[in-house]
Amino acid sequence: MSKVTAIKGARTPSNLDTPTDLDPKAIAEISGALNGLLADAFALYLKTKNFHWHVSGPHFRDYHLMLDEHAEAIFATTDELAERVRKIGGTTLRSIGQISKLQSIADNNEDFVDPADMLRELMADNKKVATAMRKAHKVCDEHEDVASASLLENFIDATERRTWFLFEAARDADSSGH
């Protein structure tokens, strides 16, 4: 019998049972928190790329490049989050359907979004992600998972940086009337 508990109480197949000193409850709670962050990372990545592809107006080049840089940084977190879940003996996301069930970041399927609204929406989403990362950090702390907590500390800093840049760019867009 596998000693590892996967997402939502399912059993981890024995060939995916990763050795860990964390107890099954810790694995389930940390994996759940990290998988929620992973789903949000994918949702935020795609929304950021959507806005990158569809931004228009006088600040096109600046916003286009900034959003591409942000999307790359967000995407870079996905492998680290998923691999951290596996390192502690959990299982991680397998599909777009699973992402859609776990994500807390709302999609934006509008045909056109004003650039200033894009920036404000992404700023709010990044703030939401930072809050979720802090909550996940507490879960990691409760179970003495310092490696996951450390990873999240770096991701929180990067998320706050994106939030700051989006805030300043939105102020600029508001002051220029776009």
Side-chain angles (χ1 to χ4, degrees):
M1 221 192 257
S2 169
K3 68 177 174 96
V4 177
T5 304
I7 303 171
K8 296 187 181 185
R11 305 284 305 157
T12 299
S14 61
N15 55 350
L16 293 180
D17 192 13
T18 306
T20 182
D21 63 334
L22 295 170
D23 65 56
K25 181 180 181 217
I27 295 165
E29 290 179 5
I30 295 166
S31 294
L34 295 181
N35 279 318
L37 294 175
L38 181 58
D40 279 345
F42 279 117
L44 185 56
Y45 165 77
L46 189 54
K47 182 187 281 188
T48 303
K49 288 301 280 191
N50 170 25
F51 290 167
H52 159 81
W53 294 321
H54 295 102
V55 70
S56 179
H59 298 285
F60 167 79
R61 180 170 169 73
D62 292 336
Y63 297 161
H64 184 77
L65 294 174
M66 179 182 68
L67 295 178
D68 198 35
E69 178 184 299
H70 286 192
E72 286 177 18
I74 294 163
F75 188 74
T77 68
T78 61
D79 197 51
E80 291 188 66
L81 287 167
E83 287 185 357
R84 185 68 204 147
V85 170
R86 290 293 298 127
K87 287 176 194 175
I88 65 169
T91 58
T92 194
L93 305 179
R94 291 182 172 86
S95 67
I96 298 294
Q98 194 174 16
I99 290 168
S100 69
K101 289 177 186 173
L102 295 177
Q103 76 185 68
S104 68
I105 300 298
D107 293 332
N108 185 317
N109 296 314
E110 296 298 321
D111 288 337
F112 177 78
V113 179
D114 182 78
D117 292 337
M118 287 178 176
L119 300 172
R120 284 191 291 274
E121 186 172 335
L122 290 173
M123 180 185 68
D125 289 341
N126 276 275
K127 284 173 59 176
K128 186 175 188 174
V129 166
T131 298
M133 286 179 180
R134 284 185 179 84
K135 288 179 184 175
H137 191 285
K138 286 181 185 177
V139 172
C140 296
D141 284 346
E142 289 170 15
H143 296 291
E144 299 180 1
D145 180 4
V146 295
S148 295
S150 177
L151 183 69
L152 291 174
E153 288 166 5
N154 291 320
F155 290 167
I156 290 167
D157 183 59
T159 303
E160 289 174 335
R161 183 177 194 272
R162 286 192 305 274
T163 302
W164 170 39
F165 275 55
L166 290 161
F167 169 74
E168 291 297 341
R171 284 178 19 153
D172 182 48
D174 289 337
S175 68
S176 68
H178 298 298

